[in-house]
Each structure stands twice: as structure tokens, then as C-alpha cells.
Amino acid sequence: MTHPYLFILNPNSGTSIGKNSAAVREQIHSVAKKNAGSAQILFTEEPAHATELVREHMHAEKWKAIVAVGGDGTVNEIAKPLVDTNIPIGILPLGSGNGLARHLGLPLTLDAALKRLFEGNPTMIDSAELNGIPFFCTAGMGFDAYVGHLFSQQKARGLMTYVNVSFKAYWSYKPQSFRLNGVEKQAFSLSFANAGQFGNNAWVAPQASLQDGLLDVCTIRPFPQWYGTALAYGLFTKQLKQSTYIDYQRATQAVVETDAPPMIHYDGEPLQLDTTRIEVKIKPGSLNVII
């Protein structure tokens, strides 16, 4: 008996997957066959197409998993329709950041990720929503959303592009005013962490758990320019912690109000809102993931 898997591949994700999509396809079929599985592979053609493909095909077979082949944006698009269902999502993390996969400890090479996919077990994790938009890793506003917006406009992806964009943005970015649950705050950034990192091992909330039914809310307050180096060091060494400039809270929900509609990001995808009220909430144990 073969177990059917549906793979959805974003040929524009990451740094090299587009150039090697034929080889990736061949390898998926080969490994699936060795593991008594059958693979149906679909390619996305534009943003949000992965979500459409999942909705079209999710009930066509009794899938062992619907597999996201790409980065956090692809994972987000594929996971959205799978929230509150029993259909597991698998992840082949071939994107540029791979934040959710890194938090879950999934391998980052195709060979090892395929092996884990066929040997792993489905596990329930939390998901979250920002104004009804599902996210699985992190969401937020402020500097991170601004960088996400600039990063999305770059032709090259990957860590070096992200670092370069962040460094240039750092010198011109101005902190913003937010009201978090009615409390006025000046903030460099405001992050809601379901998983602990943005991607590329930038750990904004190293203590975050995907199974505790809570969001870790990280507020980074305005700081002197010299502190930027310490902040970056803490972010990439998993040592970001509460300090004079950083505050953590845990919550099942939060309301943010702003003076003007903010730029936000969800799982690294930037979005300009048209409202000044942002509601964020956790959805405990709502997504089945192969790990």
C-alpha cells in the first residue's frame, strides 16, 4: 500500500530552488518510492496560489501530508487551509529564512528533510491570527515589518541580503507609537512570537513554545545607536533577553492601536494595513505538523 503525499513547490522561493526545481521534483519522486509513498507535485505560479491549490486538492485523496516546499511564506500559504483540520503539513525548508522549520529542528537540506518527512510523526502545534490572517512563526510591526517590506523588493534572497537591508534601514528608521492593550508605548519593534525566531536563526523570543497556548510579545523600546550591535548579537546568538530596552509578556490575545494604519508582517510577508486597530490571538493545538 502506498501513502499519497501532495507536494506544493514554490519555484521562486529561497536562493536556488527555482534553478533546480526539476532536480527537486525528481528527488521527491525517488525518495517517495523508496518509502512506499506516492508523490503528486504541483507548482505555484503567483502569490497566494499555494492556498488555492491546497483548497482545490485537500479532499481529493486521504493525504499522508500536504508538503510545503519553500520558505515561511510558502508554509504560511499552505498551512492556512489546514488549520483546524486533521491533515498534516510537511515542510521541506528550501526558503531563505525557514523560521518555523528551524524552530521545529527540521533538517535544512533536501535529502535530510525528505528522510524526516517520511519517518516523522504528526504533532499538533499552535497557530495564531492577526486581524484574521493566520501566522505560524511570528508577526509584528515596527522595524521588522519595515525590513520585511524592503526585503520583499530585493531580487536576491538569503541571509546576506537580509543583513544588508537591515543594516541600511537601521540608520534611517524612526521608532513608532503604539497602544498595546491600552498602554502607550514608543517602540522600535513589536513582535508576536508563536515560534521563537523570524528565520535565519534570528531568535526574537528564544523561550517561545509552539505548544504552550501562548504568544510571546516582545517590545523593543527606543535605544541609543550603540546598542544596535548588542541587539543584533543577542538576536543571532539566542541570547536576546529582557533588558532596559526589551520587554517580554505572554498572552493569549492582544490589541494594538496606532495613529495611522501600520505596515505589518506575518511570517515575514509584509502587508500595509488599512486599519489602526490590530487584534492578535493564539489558536492552541490547531495545526498538525510532521516533525
Side-chain angles (χ1 to χ4, degrees):
M1 179 182 175
T2 60
H3 300 292
Y5 290 77
L6 177 63
F7 292 79
I8 299 178
L9 191 154
N10 176 5
N12 298 311
S13 183
T15 52
S16 61
I17 188 174
K19 298 173 190 171
N20 301 309
S21 55
V24 170
R25 185 177 191 163
E26 189 177 317
Q27 194 159 353
I28 288 170
H29 279 301
S30 173
V31 176
K33 193 173 179 181
K34 287 176 189 170
N35 287 272
S38 64
Q40 182 175 345
I41 301 174
L42 304 174
F43 288 84
T44 62
E45 295 171 3
E46 58 192 359
H49 190 206
T51 302
E52 290 176 33
L53 290 173
V54 174
R55 288 190 174 129
E56 282 173 27
H57 293 84
M58 61 193 287
H59 300 300
E61 293 261 14
K62 192 167 182 179
W63 303 109
K64 193 80 173 170
I66 297 179
V67 186
V69 187
D72 287 317
T74 305
V75 170
N76 181 287
E77 288 191 13
I78 290 169
K80 278 176 186 172
L82 301 181
V83 171
D84 294 328
T85 75
N86 288 322
I87 304 170
I89 183 172
I91 303 172
L92 297 184
L94 302 183
S96 53
N98 306 310
L100 186 60
R102 289 177 192 270
H103 183 111
L104 290 168
L106 297 177
L108 300 179
T109 63
L110 181 58
D111 280 348
L114 277 167
K115 186 172 188 291
R116 178 73 68 87
L117 174 69
F118 289 107
E119 294 177 358
N121 296 303
T123 302
M124 297 303 294
I125 66 167
D126 303 337
S127 68
E129 289 183 350
L130 185 152
N131 283 9
I133 302 166
F135 68 94
F136 306 93
C137 205
T138 61
M141 56 206 76
F143 182 73
D144 312 316
Y146 179 54
V147 169
H149 170 65
L150 296 177
F151 183 67
S152 71
Q153 299 174 329
Q154 307 302 308
K155 289 182 181 177
R157 306 288 281 181
L159 178 59
M160 284 314 300
T161 303
Y162 186 81
V163 169
N164 287 337
V165 168
S166 300
F167 183 75
K168 288 176 185 173
Y170 175 73
W171 301 105
S172 59
Y173 179 78
K174 301 286 186 257
Q176 298 176 27
S177 294
F178 303 103
R179 283 176 298 284
L180 176 60
N181 297 327
V183 178
E184 193 79 33
K185 291 177 180 280
Q186 278 282 111
F188 179 76
S189 73
L190 180 60
S191 300
F192 298 94
N194 184 37
Q197 63 162 282
F198 297 128
N200 285 314
N201 283 327
W203 291 86
V204 66
Q207 70 285 351
S209 165
L210 284 163
Q211 295 178 304
D212 63 356
L214 294 167
L215 288 167
D216 286 64
V217 184
C218 177
T219 306
I220 301 179
R221 289 186 287 276
F223 51 81
Q225 273 192 340
W226 62 262
Y227 184 72
T229 305
L231 183 67
Y233 179 80
L235 198 63
F236 284 100
T237 57
K238 218 174 180 178
Q239 296 179 69
L240 203 62
K241 56 192 174 200
Q242 196 157 317
S243 74
T244 310
Y245 308 111
I246 301 171
D247 177 56
Y248 286 104
Q249 299 169 269
R250 285 187 168 153
T252 57
Q253 57 187 24
V255 175
V256 182
E257 296 163 291
T258 57
D259 294 330
M263 172 76 68
I264 61 105
H265 81 86
Y266 60 95
D267 291 343
E269 299 298 310
L271 177 67
Q272 176 62 54
L273 293 184
D274 57 7
T275 178
T276 58
R277 182 180 172 88
I278 300 98
E279 297 182 17
V280 185
K281 66 178 183 178
I282 193 78
K283 295 191 70 175
S286 51
L287 184 68
N288 213 358
V289 183
I290 304 284
I291 59 173

